[in-house]
């Protein structure tokens, strides 16, 4: 199998994993417009092991499930959700990929504490983008009552997101030194 085919299979596998994790996790905890979302597990795997481009692509693809859910099915974000969630998740994949390429040794296994730190820092641009989305774009594009409702949700959404990222970062730290996991991922990305 060519390296391009392997990368495509890896992207498809991670996108499916991320969206499946979103579906499973949001059914565990949802309160109004705030839902548990563990889809970034796939984003981080792609970014840490595959780099910034794979991380960004997988991030955008794992944002599709949340975008549909918060955009139309169970949410009020509409087109802003369809646009914003994949873009935000792609930012996390891109940033984490760049940080891992820069700060982790090539080939792995990776130091667990450094992987946790990179995972936490990788979320910062998405966090800033989320604030921009809610504080700038929502008031411009949505009716004032809807905008006020969503802006009030920003703090709970960010608190929940940082708790998720903390959990996912610890998981990435545990996977970083796992030789079996590294061997599996290396079959798809070099």
């Amino acid at each position: 199998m060519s390296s391009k085919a392997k990368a495509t299979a890896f992207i498809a596998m991670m996108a499916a994993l991320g969206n499946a994790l979103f579906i499973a996790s949001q059914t565990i905890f949802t309160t109004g417009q705030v839902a548990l979302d563990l889809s970034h597990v796939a984003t981080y795997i792609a970014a840490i092991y595959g780099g910034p481009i794979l991380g960004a692509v997988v991030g955008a693809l794992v944002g599709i499930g949340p975008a549909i859910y918060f955009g139309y099915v169970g949410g009020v974000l509409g087109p802003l959700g369809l646009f914003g969630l994949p873009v935000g998740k792609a930012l996390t994949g891109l940033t984490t990929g760049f940080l891992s390429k820069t700060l982790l040794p090539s080939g792995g296994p990776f130091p667990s504490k450094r992987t946790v730190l990179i995972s936490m820092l990788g979320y910062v641009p998405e966090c800033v983008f989320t604030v921009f989305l809610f504080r700038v774009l929502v008031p411009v594009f949505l009716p004032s009552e809807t905008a006020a409702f969503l802006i009030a949700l920003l703090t709970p959404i960010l608190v929940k997101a940082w708790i998720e990222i903390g959990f996912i970062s610890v998981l990435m730290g545990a996977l970083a030194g796992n030789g079996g996991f590294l061997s599996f991922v290396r079959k798809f990305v070099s």
Side-chain angles (χ1 to χ4, degrees):
M1 188 185 300
S2 73
S3 62
K4 195 172 194 175
K6 287 180 182 182
T8 302
F10 182 70
I11 290 169
M13 187 171 46
M14 289 298 108
L17 172 66
N19 280 292
L21 284 171
F22 169 71
I23 291 167
S25 60
Q26 69 89 19
T27 59
I28 293 170
F29 174 80
T30 299
T31 172
Q33 291 293 306
V34 181
L36 183 63
D37 179 5
L38 298 178
S39 63
H40 264 325
V41 169
T43 306
Y44 280 110
I45 291 170
I48 290 169
Y49 294 97
I53 301 301
L54 286 180
V57 170
V58 169
L61 291 173
V62 304
I64 292 172
I68 292 169
Y69 183 79
F70 291 112
Y72 289 104
V73 175
V76 293
L77 276 171
L80 286 178
L82 288 176
F83 158 78
L85 288 153
V87 168
K89 288 179 180 286
L91 284 171
T92 295
L94 183 70
T95 306
T96 303
F98 277 124
L99 290 172
S100 67
K101 285 276 190 203
T102 306
L103 301 173
L104 292 174
S106 62
F110 303 133
S112 291
K113 289 179 185 174
R114 198 176 307 168
T115 302
V116 170
L117 178 62
I118 287 168
S119 299
M120 295 290 288
L121 290 174
Y123 179 70
V124 171
E126 182 180 351
C127 181
V128 171
F129 179 75
T130 302
V131 172
F132 172 77
L133 179 72
F134 276 75
R135 301 289 284 163
V136 176
L137 297 180
V138 162
V140 169
F141 291 102
L142 295 177
S144 59
E145 308 82 36
T146 304
F149 170 73
L150 289 171
I151 291 169
L153 288 176
L154 180 59
T155 299
I157 288 170
L158 292 177
V159 168
K160 180 230 26 136
W162 278 107
I163 291 169
E164 291 165 354
I165 295 302
F167 171 77
I168 293 169
S169 296
V170 170
L171 176 63
M172 292 301 104
L175 290 175
N178 185 306
F181 183 75
L182 180 61
S183 175
F184 170 76
V185 172
R186 288 292 175 225
K187 290 178 184 175
F188 296 96
V189 294
S190 54

